[in-house]
Amino acid sequence: MKSPSENTSLKKFESLIEKKYLVYNSLFLNLPYQGVDVGQLLPLLSAYCEESLSASKSPIEIIDSFFDTHTHLKTEDERNDFLFRVISYVERQVVLFDSIEDAALPKIREDVDDSKLSDLMSQTKKGGNWDAVFQKLDDFKVRIVLTAHPTQFYQPAVLDIMSELRGQIVQNDVNEIDLLLNQLGLTSLINAKSPTPLEEAKNIIYFCKNVYYNAIGELYSRIKSKVTNLDNPEIVSLGFWPGGDRDGNPYVTSDITKEVANELRMTLMKCYYSDVKRLCSKITFKHVDEKIEALRDQLYSAMFNQDYCLPYRSILDPLLEIKKIIQENYNSLYLNDLQNTIDKVTIFKTHFASLDIRQDHSVHKQVITYILRKEGLINETIEELSTEELINILLTQEIDVSSFNVDDPLVADTIANIIQLPSIQSSNGEQGCHRYIISNSEDIFSILFVFALFRWTTNDISYVNFDIVPLFETMKGMCDAGQIMEDIFNTDLYAKHLKRRNNKQTMMLGFSDGTKDGGYLKANWSIYKTKETLTALCEKYQIKSIFFDGRGGPPARGGGKTHRFYASQGAKISNEEIQLTIQGQTITSTYGTKEQFQYSCEQLISAGLYNFTYHDEVTISEASRRLLEDLSELSFKKYDALKQHEMFIPYLENVSPLKYYSKAKIGSRPVKRGQKKQLELTDLRAISFVGSWSLLKQNIPGYFGIGTALKNLKDQNRLDDLKALYKEVPYFKALISNSMMSLSKCYFELTAYMGEDDAYSDFWRILFDEYKLSKAMILEITEYDELMADEPISKRSIENREAIVLPLLVIQQYALQKLGQDTASRSAFEKMVVRSVYGNINASRNSV
């Protein structure tokens, strides 16, 4: 039975979203499409697809029958042209639904029973432990790290239309909405060519400038108004990967990194200039006006000239001086406006977002091998050296690589990038670029290779103002993480480096690749245990541990309801900061507007404070831990068997749209690491791996193995224990809730025809059986009548979105089936598969 607040929010969802969508969608009937009237036939096609899929018809049967029954189109070219028009139409329906839902979110969230920061503050004040919470709030930090954006592809022009559309929807101005929809119909939603890393960076800097600059400033001001004497401008900060993340992306070079750093700084100067220009029109007082005008002129120069770098204090000090004069001589007039600008300067300084550098461990091994070979320390490979010999070379050998004449482009660029990092810090400030992240960290050399490269590119290691961050993402990496970090903490030279870095060690855990490697439950439980191990280890060595989570958009990559995840961390896990990657459609769906961004950030702050205040309530008992361990191993066994199945890779390559990801011109990064012709799971990027399962509407990485694990324990008469685990352990409840979302987005009817396929029928049935079992078992342990019964708004959003894109899903499978036949229209069907990717993925987000 739904609570009164849930019923109220559902009614609002119906009136503010569903009904408005029906009204505004009807305006699409006038979109400038010529020929067959897509707007008239699309609702009929949607209903026909749903009815036919329920009857287990194949996509080819559905599409061909629809054409024969409901149109006069006979030739393949005519029919394909119609299908492309359907794709374009549905893409814009998704944009419309996004805009309507985003516009309605503030009102709908008024009734959603989520943990709000203001509510938590009130509770802690009443509870008498406000002093401790205030102390925590004074140094607690949330870092939102924006990553390369290959699963969301609204271009800036489309984002501007959406922003205007949201405003007009709130005003309910039908005439303006009609104009905007017509503009949308004539505006391309897709890239003509794959974006460069610089273009990707600029697309995300769009959000920094147009959303986050004011959103973070306002949020900080609001929190300060509730907490007297709060001084924590880094309570919410931005990190940035595009232009610095070269893992698997050969197009990210040292020149690109420098360009992106300049773009971040110069864009920030434009934001400052706009604020200061507005202040100039208000602060017109004697002895003050010339000071603020001088600052405006300096900012004007800094926002266009990349060689003119205005230092942080040169911006802040004049503002503080003006503030003092206004307070003393001008009755504090416009002080709030001035203080808001001062706050933003203290938050963003001269970097806007901190640019992280990331590279795979295998590349560093290649670079070190090249250097040692050139120095005559090895003949061919570093395996010629013992572990002790190699460590000794990395820590004590004096090598100057700054003047190396390198003939390997990758080696040369890796060295050139490390050499230029101090100059980026000089331009953008140390916070502008201060972390080097190593993907696939599985041994001590993942850290020592990078440490040695910093040693060999500087004359004095004490001037290396960089944090070296291992990324543990495989099962092996997480299993060995404790020993790796203990060994590095006991390395004298590195320990001295940590001391210079304020005895703080950041360690990254990878949800995306972890899930790909170990399956959903095993990966998440391994990450939890690894954090506990590393927290205890850092406490032993009196080092502050910071965890940085590589989370993706969908639950299968660590997404979902992240605030629940962080609120459920126990007392054995460091709670100094919350740092997480935001990627894909999550940037626009959860952080894409000022209201969304502030809401999501407040929830993360609230989750961290909740965990600090009530960590005893979320501590997992030994009995519960044993149960989680059993579930983890049982689910991994099932998932690992699937990975080893002979049809696993062929199914992904031939049934899913995997091989067409690279043709979609979504992002600059290839779908897999390396140049091997034969596809291997270890090389496949998690985005394309999870995305392919999502486009199949099977979402395997989000739940596979859970059903088998739960059923196994039920058969051991442990069902009551499982029910208690869900009710009493917030961490487990968060995991199951995310799996319910993955299961809710499944639609096996789409591929039911595979159940009769000669090659893939057995494999498809393995997937389908586990889906049914997982759904049944989760409903049994949660005692719900339906999936996501505790999240009715998100469930309703999913249902609406899946209904909108159903024709796209069928068209994509239709095209894939055609490509499996001998067809003269191969290029057209390949393009059809690719074009169907955009709307399908954009529709997969959940905003509410």
Side-chain angles (χ1 to χ4, degrees):
M1 187 176 214
K2 292 182 176 63
S3 67
S5 64
E6 287 176 337
N7 283 324
T8 301
S9 58
L10 279 172
K11 287 178 181 177
K12 284 186 177 181
F13 189 94
E14 182 179 341
S15 63
L16 297 176
I17 296 177
E18 291 176 335
K19 288 183 178 179
K20 281 193 175 184
Y21 175 74
L22 289 174
V23 172
Y24 299 142
N25 185 44
S26 67
L27 299 176
F28 269 114
L29 296 175
N30 297 316
L31 277 178
Y33 291 127
Q34 298 176 358
V36 177
D37 196 336
V38 179
Q40 295 284 350
L41 288 174
L42 183 53
L44 186 60
L45 175 60
S46 296
Y48 195 81
C49 287
E50 184 175 5
E51 178 185 342
S52 301
L53 288 172
S54 298
S56 299
K57 291 184 179 180
S58 74
I60 281 184
E61 291 177 302
I62 295 169
I63 297 298
D64 286 346
S65 175
F66 176 80
F67 279 129
D68 292 339
T69 307
H70 297 288
T71 78
H72 299 293
L73 303 174
K74 300 299 182 185
T75 70
E76 190 165 70
D77 286 345
E78 288 177 330
R79 292 182 172 192
N80 287 346
D81 181 66
F82 173 83
L83 294 177
F84 278 116
R85 292 178 187 277
V86 169
I87 292 169
S88 296
Y89 193 103
V90 174
E91 285 171 346
R92 286 155 178 80
Q93 284 183 307
V94 173
V95 173
L96 174 60
F97 193 86
D98 282 349
S99 302
I100 293 172
E101 193 173 66
D102 291 345
L105 280 178
K107 286 188 175 297
I108 289 176
R109 280 176 174 156
E110 292 173 353
D111 305 297
V112 176
D113 188 23
D114 279 331
S115 178
K116 298 181 178 67
L117 181 59
S118 56
D119 294 339
L120 183 63
M121 287 180 175
S122 298
Q123 290 171 15
T124 52
K125 284 181 178 179
K126 291 177 182 177
N129 56 348
W130 172 245
D131 289 342
V133 171
F134 169 75
Q135 188 174 354
K136 182 68 177 177
L137 193 63
D138 206 36
D139 62 13
F140 186 73
K141 297 179 178 66
V142 168
R143 179 179 290 196
I144 306 297
V145 181
L146 307 161
T147 75
H149 209 186
T151 57
Q152 195 286 321
F153 6 78
Y154 294 145
Q155 300 179 71
V158 178
L159 292 170
D160 286 337
I161 293 172
M162 291 176 70
S163 178
E164 183 67 23
L165 195 53
R166 284 193 298 270
Q168 298 301 334
I169 287 169
V170 171
Q171 299 298 322
N172 206 26
D173 189 330
V174 177
N175 290 329
E176 285 298 320
I177 291 169
D178 188 35
L179 284 173
L180 288 166
L181 292 179
N182 275 275
Q183 180 186 355
L184 183 65
L186 293 168
T187 303
S188 176
L189 268 66
I190 62 174
N191 299 313
K193 59 181 181 178
S194 295
T196 66
L198 181 59
E199 289 168 339
E200 285 180 326
K202 287 181 177 180
N203 284 342
I204 302 182
I205 290 172
Y206 171 97
F207 288 97
C208 295
K209 178 184 178 183
N210 293 289
V211 179
Y212 306 147
Y213 177 72
N214 285 316
I216 294 177
E218 288 182 16
L219 178 59
Y220 184 49
S221 296
R222 188 160 70 240
I223 295 174
K224 284 204 306 178
S225 70
K226 298 178 184 297
V227 183
T228 307
N229 297 323
L230 178 71
D231 183 19
N232 182 10
E234 292 181 52
I235 192 167
V236 175
S237 64
L238 299 175
F240 205 83
W241 274 19
D245 180 10
R246 52 224 334 113
D247 175 16
N249 193 339
Y251 307 112
V252 177
T253 64
S254 55
D255 288 341
I256 290 291
T257 300
K258 183 67 174 177
E259 284 187 79
V260 171
N262 286 335
E263 191 69 27
L264 280 165
R265 185 187 69 256
M266 293 164 68
T267 302
L268 177 61
M269 295 303 117
K270 292 174 184 176
C271 294
Y272 288 162
Y273 176 82
S274 296
D275 275 3
V276 170
K277 184 180 178 181
R278 280 191 290 271
L279 286 172
C280 283
S281 66
K282 297 179 179 180
I283 302 176
T284 53
F285 321 128
K286 188 176 181 181
H287 303 309
V288 182
D289 52 353
E290 66 268 20
K291 294 181 185 296
I292 198 160
E293 287 170 5
L295 177 58
R296 181 192 62 189
D297 292 343
Q298 287 181 299
L299 290 168
Y300 185 83
S301 298
M303 70 187 196
F304 291 118
N305 184 354
Q306 67 178 22
D307 297 321
Y308 183 78
C309 302
L310 200 56
Y312 166 56
R313 297 304 313 190
S314 295
I315 304 171
L316 181 63
D317 288 346
L319 292 172
L320 293 175
E321 186 179 357
I322 291 167
K323 176 183 176 181
K324 183 179 179 182
I325 295 172
I326 288 177
Q327 287 176 312
E328 292 177 351
N329 301 323
Y330 296 104
N331 301 320
S332 296
L333 198 60
Y334 296 120
L335 184 62
N336 286 339
D337 296 309
L338 178 61
Q339 185 60 52
N340 288 338
T341 300
I342 291 172
D343 284 344
K344 291 174 189 174
V345 173
T346 60
I347 291 166
F348 300 111
K349 296 183 172 61
T350 54
H351 60 276
F352 215 158
S354 183
L355 181 62
D356 286 343
I357 308 299
R358 183 172 77 131
Q359 183 55 284
D360 191 77
H361 171 51
S362 62
V363 173
H364 301 135
K365 182 178 180 180
Q366 183 178 336
V367 174
I368 293 293
T369 300
Y370 184 98
I371 293 171
L372 298 190
R373 191 187 301 130
K374 194 173 182 69
E375 288 290 297
L377 295 169
I378 58 174
N379 293 319
E380 291 296 330
T381 71
I382 59 176
E383 280 72 24
E384 298 165 22
L385 302 169
S386 68
T387 298
E388 292 74 17
E389 289 172 330
L390 180 56
I391 290 176
N392 185 60
I393 289 172
L394 297 172
L395 293 175
T396 65
Q397 191 77 27
E398 296 300 329
I399 301 174
D400 182 4
V401 301
S402 59
S403 58
F404 264 31
N405 184 18
V406 180
D407 54 10
D408 184 312
L410 180 60
V411 173
D413 189 74
T414 302
I415 293 172
N417 187 56
I418 294 177
I419 289 173
Q420 77 166 349
L421 294 179
S423 71
I424 293 177
Q425 289 188 335
S426 177
S427 300
N428 290 29
E430 183 181 322
Q431 285 179 276
C433 187
H434 66 96
R435 304 200 302 191
Y436 199 114
I437 299 162
I438 308 113
S439 302
N440 281 308
S441 293
E442 293 186 347
D443 57 38
I444 192 174
F445 293 111
S446 59
I447 299 173
L448 288 182
F449 284 168
V450 174
F451 187 66
L453 289 172
F454 273 112
R455 285 187 60 241
W456 296 339
T457 54
T458 182
N459 294 323
D460 188 346
I461 191 66
S462 64
Y463 286 100
V464 176
N465 298 320
F466 254 79
D467 300 323
I468 298 174
V469 182
L471 167 50
F472 303 112
E473 50 192 332
T474 63
M475 292 301 103
K476 181 182 187 307
M478 284 186 269
C479 180
D480 296 342
Q483 189 60 57
I484 292 169
M485 296 312 299
E486 181 147 35
D487 289 344
I488 202 71
F489 291 160
N490 281 310
T491 302
D492 184 60
L493 199 59
Y494 187 82
K496 290 179 180 177
H497 170 70
L498 271 186
K499 189 173 182 179
R500 288 190 295 270
R501 303 300 295 164
N502 298 317
N503 275 330
K504 183 173 73 174
Q505 175 67 57
T506 302
M507 295 157 287
M508 189 172 179
L509 286 302
F511 285 74
S512 295
D513 283 285
T515 301
K516 186 187 73 173
D517 188 31
Y520 177 73
L521 204 54
K522 172 81 169 179
N524 278 276
W525 181 232
S526 295
I527 289 169
Y528 189 96
K529 293 189 297 180
T530 301
K531 284 186 175 183
E532 289 183 326
T533 298
L534 295 175
T535 298
L537 180 69
C538 287
E539 289 176 354
K540 173 183 174 182
Y541 286 89
Q542 297 183 314
I543 293 168
K544 182 182 288 188
S545 53
I546 306 295
F547 291 119
F548 174 25
D549 293 331
R551 306 180 74 91
R557 291 178 46 229
K561 303 292 185 180
T562 52
H563 63 285
R564 288 184 181 177
F565 173 84
Y566 289 109
S568 67
Q569 306 293 284
K572 296 180 181 179
I573 293 178
S574 172
N575 187 34
E576 297 290 338
E577 301 180 16
I578 289 178
Q579 297 189 9
L580 70 162
T581 56
I582 301 297
Q583 53 191 273
Q585 63 270 48
T586 308
I587 291 179
T588 48
S589 67
T590 311
Y591 297 86
T593 67
K594 183 178 71 174
E595 293 79 12
Q596 289 172 327
F597 182 88
Q598 291 175 343
Y599 176 84
S600 298
C601 288
E602 283 200 49
Q603 285 219 308
L604 289 172
I605 297 170
S606 178
L609 295 180
Y610 181 90
N611 186 258
F612 169 75
T613 309
Y614 303 105
H615 56 72
D616 288 341
E617 297 180 15
V618 298
T619 298
I620 304 176
S621 68
E622 286 303 314
S624 294
R625 292 178 73 91
R626 287 193 295 271
L627 198 56
L628 278 164
E629 193 69 37
D630 289 345
L631 287 169
S632 169
E633 292 306 314
L634 287 166
S635 66
F636 174 68
K637 184 178 179 181
K638 180 70 174 180
Y639 177 74
D640 192 53
L642 183 73
K643 283 199 309 178
Q644 305 307 322
H645 196 287
E646 62 180 357
M647 300 308 294
F648 186 79
I649 294 297
Y651 186 85
L652 270 177
E653 285 193 293
N654 299 317
V655 178
S656 85
L658 174 63
K659 67 177 69 173
Y660 299 98
Y661 253 81
S662 60
K663 298 181 181 181
K665 300 180 178 63
I666 298 170
S668 68
R669 191 164 58 178
V671 299
K672 65 175 184 174
R673 297 179 176 96
Q675 303 296 320
K676 298 175 187 173
K677 289 186 178 180
Q678 185 69 32
L679 178 64
E680 295 181 12
L681 185 59
T682 52
D683 297 327
L684 186 59
R685 301 211 67 89
I687 285 175
S688 46
F689 175 70
V690 173
S692 296
W693 290 113
S694 174
L695 289 169
L696 281 171
K697 289 299 159 188
Q698 294 174 354
N699 293 326
I700 296 305
Y703 64 85
F704 195 88
I706 287 180
T708 294
L710 293 171
K711 180 65 164 58
N712 194 297
L713 293 185
K714 176 189 175 183
D715 291 344
Q716 298 176 27
N717 296 318
R718 300 169 75 181
L719 180 61
D720 288 341
D721 293 338
L722 292 170
K723 290 181 178 180
L725 189 69
Y726 178 77
K727 290 178 181 177
E728 298 170 8
V729 179
Y731 175 75
F732 182 65
K733 184 172 185 176
L735 293 183
I736 293 299
S737 293
N738 279 347
S739 270
M740 280 198 280
M741 182 181 289
S742 293
L743 287 163
S744 294
K745 294 181 180 181
C746 287
Y747 190 59
F748 271 84
E749 289 89 340
L750 178 69
T751 53
Y753 70 97
M754 297 303 301
E756 306 302 324
D757 187 87
D758 292 339
Y760 300 112
S761 60
D762 290 344
F763 186 79
W764 183 87
R765 291 190 182 282
I766 291 173
L767 305 179
F768 185 44
D769 289 345
E770 185 64 18
Y771 158 76
K772 291 188 294 183
L773 181 61
S774 297
K775 180 178 178 180
M777 288 308 307
I778 285 177
L779 289 177
E780 188 165 4
I781 68 164
T782 59
E783 299 181 326
Y784 292 160
D785 294 328
E786 57 184 18
L787 294 173
M788 298 182 69
D790 60 334
E791 297 181 66
I793 298 299
S794 290
K795 179 179 176 63
R796 195 77 159 257
S797 177
I798 290 171
E799 291 169 351
N800 278 271
R801 291 174 174 278
E802 297 301 315
I804 291 171
V805 296
L806 182 59
L808 256 64
L809 296 168
V810 174
I811 289 171
Q812 187 173 67
Q813 281 294 308
Y814 165 79
L816 285 167
Q817 277 192 281
K818 284 286 191 179
L819 288 168
Q821 301 175 351
D822 185 17
T823 174
S825 304
R826 187 167 191 84
S827 61
F829 289 121
E830 286 183 344
K831 183 180 178 183
M832 200 176 291
V833 173
V834 172
R835 280 298 310 278
S836 300
V837 166
Y838 298 88
N840 283 333
I841 292 183
N842 278 336
S844 294
R845 60 116 154 183
N846 286 95
S847 299
V848 289

